[in-house]
């Protein structure tokens, strides 16, 4: 049995506590900006966690994950625009639309492997981007403003910053708990077996691609929820959320935090977005610092930040 | 004679200009241990791979208990009771020995689209894994990662994984490859036990083991069957001596 008290668990516990208490700090210090920023971090951490399910546990390098951010967002935006403001309708539609999209592109992309898989998922996401850019009724290139956030009756008020933050946090923790259950379930073991040695898994009786596809759909669905949250957060959705650089950002967050570690994507997202924020305050050429920095971490810390922390817990 | 459990009819597989399996036909009766021997590159592994579906033949057919399985994917063949071990160990290296075997059992115990319950707490699967590991003498190593097992232990685990799929036909590709003397002896003893329960196709280089274990032997050279029969018949077959046994002795006496 590994000890529960190691640097990795300590960091995770600290981050969880920090995320839970953040609105209190924001209220006491009067720092509203930090709440806004962390709402965004929590939402994108959910997207990164969903990507980690296929990348880290399923071994599928999807380069089109931002498509679901857009699909979830447009589901909310379009329904709101057409006068359907209830979150009980908007959010399920966001999830179902994302699941269907994942099902279609998954069944096509999963015929390929490696670089081809990366390219084809990228191509599908770019297709979604161009389709959204052509939706003239819904703002086309300029995007669609959402005048009223998803309404959940008297249950919660998403226009309240603190309540909205906690809704996002509940979605993140719920999503990570769900992924944790999946990873240790029958399905999850098969999935990781396929990542480890597909030939062996086929030989003992598993149809590898069926498990991959189901995983792809679950992951896309969770990311669709993240998209619905993101649209509510910005009160706006535009094709830009689906652009390929956004998919790349999500991949970097996952790799940075640690692929195949449950909490890694959360850490990766926090580090990525906080660094981006800090560096962009210092210089407008922040990307020139960020790029090499990330490269170093990826090169010298296999397993990302969580892997690095894991190394200390061995000793 | 009873219907053969395995029937191979005019199987041919080409790799470009190379004919790896050349119009090959053979039968394996239920309950027998059928050894396949032949020099390196004769096409033994290629044949096993076509039987279990990792490779697809260009022409010909494969029947298991009368059913044509020639075009079935490998996971469906596993469901029909075909199990193989790989000459070059092919395991889930980042999983424990017990997980490797339990997954094989899981594949044959209900569906795996279960997303919630902890699979490592399913007692029947753990029990099946323990039993298969015990058979091959690995019960003490159940919780060790495959990457940390010795080569010999990995060979034994290959066999345990195949056993856990509850096969009716075991296809073993050089299970003794790379084993030391004592390990080989253990493996031979184990195969003697297993042959009582399973129909076995055994590819093996160790002639002593083959002649001690086999009911029938098929000799492959350049993808073709040059002889098939009881061990005594094979031993005295002139063509086999010329094409294979003599050369093999020369090779082993050098090594
Ligand atoms: N995937 C492949 N592509 C091309 N040639 C192959 C392939 N696999 C095996 N061969 C060739 O087919 C022949 C038979 O190989 P193999 O079945 O591994 O022989 P054996 O197991 O009897 O030593 C060899 O000449 C080998 O080089
Ligand atoms: Mg071979």
């Amino acid at each position: 049995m590994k000890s529960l008290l190691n640097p990795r668990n300590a960091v995770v516990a600290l981050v969880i506590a920090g995320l839970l208490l953040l609105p209190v700090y924001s209220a006491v210090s009067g720092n509203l900006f930090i709440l806004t920023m962390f709402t965004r971090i929590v939402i994108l951490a959910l997207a990164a966690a969903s990507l980690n399910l296929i990348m880290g546990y399923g071994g599928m390098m999807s380069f089109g994950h931002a498509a679901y951010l857009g699909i979830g967002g447009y589901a909310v935006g379009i329904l709101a625009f057409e006068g359907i403001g209830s979150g009980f309708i908007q959010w399920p539609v966001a999830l179902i639309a994302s699941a269907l999209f994942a099902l279609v592109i998954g069944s096509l992309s999963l015929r390929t492997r490696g670089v081809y898989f990366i390219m084809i998922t990228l191509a599908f996401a770019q297709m979604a981007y161009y389709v959204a850019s052509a939706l003239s009724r819904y703002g086309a290139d300029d995007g669609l403003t959402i005048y009223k956030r998803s309404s959940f009756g008297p249950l919660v008020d998403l226009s309240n910053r603190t309540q909205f933050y906690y809704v996002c946090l509940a979605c993140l923790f719920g999503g990570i708990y769900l992924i944790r259950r999946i990873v240790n379930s029958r399905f999850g073991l098969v999935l990781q077996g396929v990542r480890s040695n597909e030939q062996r898994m086929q030989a003992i009786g598993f149809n590898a691609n069926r498990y991959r596809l189901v995983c792809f759909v679950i992951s896309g669905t969770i990311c669709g929820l993240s998209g619905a949250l993101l649209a509510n957060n910005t009160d706006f959705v535009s094709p830009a959320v689906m652009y390929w650089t956004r998919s790349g950002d999500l991949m970097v967050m996952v790799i940075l935090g640690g692929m195949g570690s449950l909490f890694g994507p959360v850490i990766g997202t926090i580090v990525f977005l906080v660094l981006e924020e800090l560096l962009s305050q210092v210089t407008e050429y922040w990307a020139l610092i960020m790029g090499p920095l990330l490269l170093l971490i990826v090169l010298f810390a296999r397993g990302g930040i969580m892997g690095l922390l894991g190394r200390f817990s061995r000793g | 004679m009873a219907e053969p459990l395995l029937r191979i009819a005019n199987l041919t597989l080409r790799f470009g200009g190379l004919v790896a399996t050349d119009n090959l036909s053979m039968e394996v009766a239920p309950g027998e241990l059928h050894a396949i021997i032949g020099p390196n590159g004769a096409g033994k592994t290629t044949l096993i791979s076509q039987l279990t579906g990792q490779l697809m033949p260009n022409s010909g057919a494969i029947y298991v208990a009368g059913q044509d399985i020639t075009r079935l994917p490998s996971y469906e063949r596993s469901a029909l009771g075909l199990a193989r071990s790989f000459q070059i160990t092919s395991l889930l290296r980042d999983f424990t020995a017990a997980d490797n075997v339990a997954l094989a059992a899981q594949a044959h115990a209900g569906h795996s689209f279960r997303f919630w319950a902890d699979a490592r707490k399913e007692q029947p699967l753990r029990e099946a894994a323990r039993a298969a590991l015990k058979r091959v003498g690995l019960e003490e190593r159940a919780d060790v990662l495959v990457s940390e097992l010795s080569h010999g232990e990995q060979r034994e685990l290959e066999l345990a994984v195949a056993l856990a799929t509850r096969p009716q036909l075991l296809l073993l590709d050089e299970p003794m490859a790379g084993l030391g003397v004592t390990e080989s002896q253990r493996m031979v003893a184990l195969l003697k036990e297993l042959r009582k329960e399973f129909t076995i196709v055994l590819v093996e280089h160790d002639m002593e083991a083959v002649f001690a274990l086999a009911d029938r032997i098929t000799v492959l050279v350049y993808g073709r069957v040059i002889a098939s029969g009881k061990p005594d018949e094979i031993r005295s077959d002139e063509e086999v001596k010329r094409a294979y046994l003599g050369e093999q002795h020369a090779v082993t006496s050098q090594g």
Side-chain angles (χ1 to χ4, degrees):
Chain A
M1 271 269 127
K2 281 180 219 153
S3 157
L4 279 174
L5 236 172
N6 59 43
R8 195 197 298 220
N9 289 350
V11 167
V12 169
L14 269 177
V15 169
I16 291 177
L19 289 175
L20 281 170
L21 295 176
L22 193 100
V24 180
Y25 169 77
S26 165
V28 172
S29 67
N31 184 345
L32 271 179
F33 173 74
I34 197 165
L35 185 59
T36 311
M37 176 165 164
F38 268 84
T39 304
R40 185 179 157 73
I41 287 177
V42 165
I43 294 171
L44 288 176
L46 178 62
S50 75
L51 178 58
N52 183 39
L53 181 61
I54 49 177
M55 253 171 73
Y57 296 101
M60 293 171 269
M61 292 293 157
S62 165
F63 201 167
H65 219 60
Y68 307 104
L69 289 179
I71 290 168
Y74 270 100
V76 169
I78 290 175
L79 285 173
F81 182 84
E82 302 294 353
I84 301 167
S86 167
F88 293 112
I89 296 173
Q90 288 178 353
W91 291 23
V93 168
L95 298 188
I96 292 167
S98 301
L100 287 178
F101 185 75
L103 186 65
V104 172
I105 70 164
S107 9
L108 295 169
S109 324
L110 284 169
R111 293 157 197 252
T112 64
R113 291 284 178 279
V115 178
Y116 299 100
F117 183 80
I118 296 178
M119 296 310 285
I120 197 168
T121 47
L122 171 64
F124 276 118
Q126 284 299 92
M127 227 146 85
Y129 169 83
Y130 287 115
V131 167
S133 311
L135 294 175
S136 50
R137 180 173 165 81
Y138 305 113
D141 272 339
D142 299 332
L144 180 61
T145 300
I146 298 167
Y147 292 100
K148 208 171 157 301
R149 291 190 174 180
S150 305
S151 95
F152 285 93
L155 223 51
V156 282
D157 176 11
L158 298 192
S159 311
N160 176 304
R161 283 161 168 269
T162 308
Q163 288 191 30
F164 182 61
Y165 174 83
Y166 278 117
V167 166
C168 294
L169 197 61
C171 289
L172 174 63
F173 288 167
I176 288 178
Y177 182 65
L178 175 69
I179 291 171
R180 181 198 156 100
R181 296 303 299 221
I182 290 176
V183 163
N184 292 303
S185 71
R186 272 188 169 216
F187 177 83
L189 291 195
V190 175
L191 188 69
Q192 293 163 82
V194 168
R195 173 195 67 190
S196 175
N197 185 342
E198 176 174 3
Q199 169 183 263
R200 167 47 79 188
M201 293 299 281
Q202 300 261 18
I204 60 177
F206 291 109
N207 180 352
N209 260 0
R210 274 178 65 196
Y211 293 89
R212 282 208 183 92
L213 180 59
V214 171
C215 175
F216 200 81
V217 171
I218 295 173
S219 166
T221 310
I222 297 175
C223 195
L225 175 60
S226 173
L229 293 171
L230 194 64
N232 272 288
N233 186 45
T234 44
D235 302 304
F236 178 71
V237 59
S238 81
V241 296
M242 294 194 258
Y243 200 60
W244 67 271
T245 54
R246 182 60 69 85
S247 294
D249 287 350
L250 289 176
M251 281 177 110
V252 171
M253 291 169 190
V254 173
I255 295 169
L256 185 62
M259 265 203 287
S261 111
L262 266 179
F263 217 75
V266 179
I267 310 267
T269 308
I270 294 174
V271 171
F272 184 92
L273 291 177
V274 169
L275 263 183
E276 185 183 82
E277 182 60 38
L278 293 180
L279 289 177
S280 65
Q281 282 171 10
V282 178
T283 160
E284 60 180 305
Y285 302 110
W286 58 273
L288 285 180
I289 305 173
M290 187 89 160
L293 203 67
L294 293 174
L295 206 64
L296 283 180
I297 293 180
V298 172
L299 283 178
F300 293 106
R302 296 181 129 251
I305 297 169
M306 288 306 256
L308 212 56
L309 291 171
R311 257 184 251 167
F312 295 122
S313 26
R314 291 270 167 82
Chain B
M1 205 180 116
E3 186 187 358
L5 180 57
L6 173 67
R7 186 157 77 81
I8 303 169
N10 309 104
L11 207 64
T12 298
L13 174 62
R14 286 178 220 94
F15 291 119
L18 178 87
V19 187
T21 308
D22 190 356
N23 197 31
L24 184 150
S25 299
M26 62 178 275
E27 292 184 353
V28 176
E32 84 177 356
L33 190 150
H34 195 122
I36 297 178
I37 63 174
N40 269 328
K44 306 179 294 295
T45 297
T46 307
L47 174 62
I48 300 287
S49 295
Q50 291 169 83
L51 297 179
T52 47
Q54 284 82 35
L55 289 172
M56 289 291 166
N58 295 112
S59 61
I62 303 164
Y63 304 89
V64 169
Q67 183 183 348
D68 185 349
I69 64 155
T70 319
R71 298 289 152 198
L72 290 186
S74 59
Y75 55 86
E76 284 183 32
R77 300 185 201 207
S78 172
L80 290 174
L82 260 62
R84 79 173 286 183
S85 73
F86 289 88
Q87 178 180 359
I88 298 168
T89 307
S90 178
L91 294 160
L92 312 174
R93 290 182 59 79
D94 46 350
F95 283 63
T96 64
D99 281 346
N100 270 265
V101 189
L103 267 168
Q106 181 183 317
H108 297 265
H111 69 86
S112 286
F113 290 99
R114 297 185 194 165
F115 303 93
W116 198 253
D118 190 335
R120 289 194 178 88
K121 290 191 178 136
E122 280 192 52
Q123 279 319 313
L125 299 181
R126 291 292 127 175
E127 215 30 73
R130 205 174 358 248
L133 286 174
K134 186 151 186 244
R135 265 217 98 162
V136 303
L138 278 180
E139 72 267 42
E140 304 287 320
R141 306 286 280 159
D143 297 324
V144 178
L145 283 181
V146 169
S147 54
E148 288 164 14
L149 292 175
S150 73
H151 173 76
E153 289 170 332
Q154 294 189 13
R155 301 303 302 159
E156 289 164 343
L157 183 57
E158 275 276 332
L159 198 52
V161 168
L163 290 176
T165 65
R166 294 199 275 152
Q168 55 166 332
L169 177 58
L170 265 179
L171 303 139
L172 307 179
D173 195 356
E174 303 202 23
M176 257 90 88
L179 294 190
V181 180
T182 29
E183 288 172 325
S184 290
Q185 284 167 348
R186 259 214 334 250
M187 187 63 85
V188 171
L190 177 59
L191 292 178
K192 276 188 177 143
E193 287 300 312
L194 293 178
R195 59 173 299 185
K196 294 177 193 158
E197 278 170 65
F198 303 99
T199 309
I200 298 178
V201 172
L202 172 68
V203 172
E204 191 44 67
H205 262 307
D206 182 339
M207 285 306 127
E208 220 175 300
V210 165
F211 283 102
L213 286 165
D215 298 306
R216 293 178 68 81
I217 299 176
T218 291
V219 186
L220 283 191
V221 175
Y222 295 123
R224 271 194 302 271
V225 175
I226 64 162
S228 190
K230 298 218 161 63
D232 288 340
E233 298 164 16
I234 297 300
R235 220 192 293 263
S236 55
D237 188 298
E238 285 304 318
E239 195 182 350
V240 174
K241 274 189 198 161
R242 225 176 15 249
Y244 179 50
L245 287 179
E247 173 203 332
Q248 180 71 12
H249 284 309
V251 169
T252 42
S253 61
Q254 274 169 16

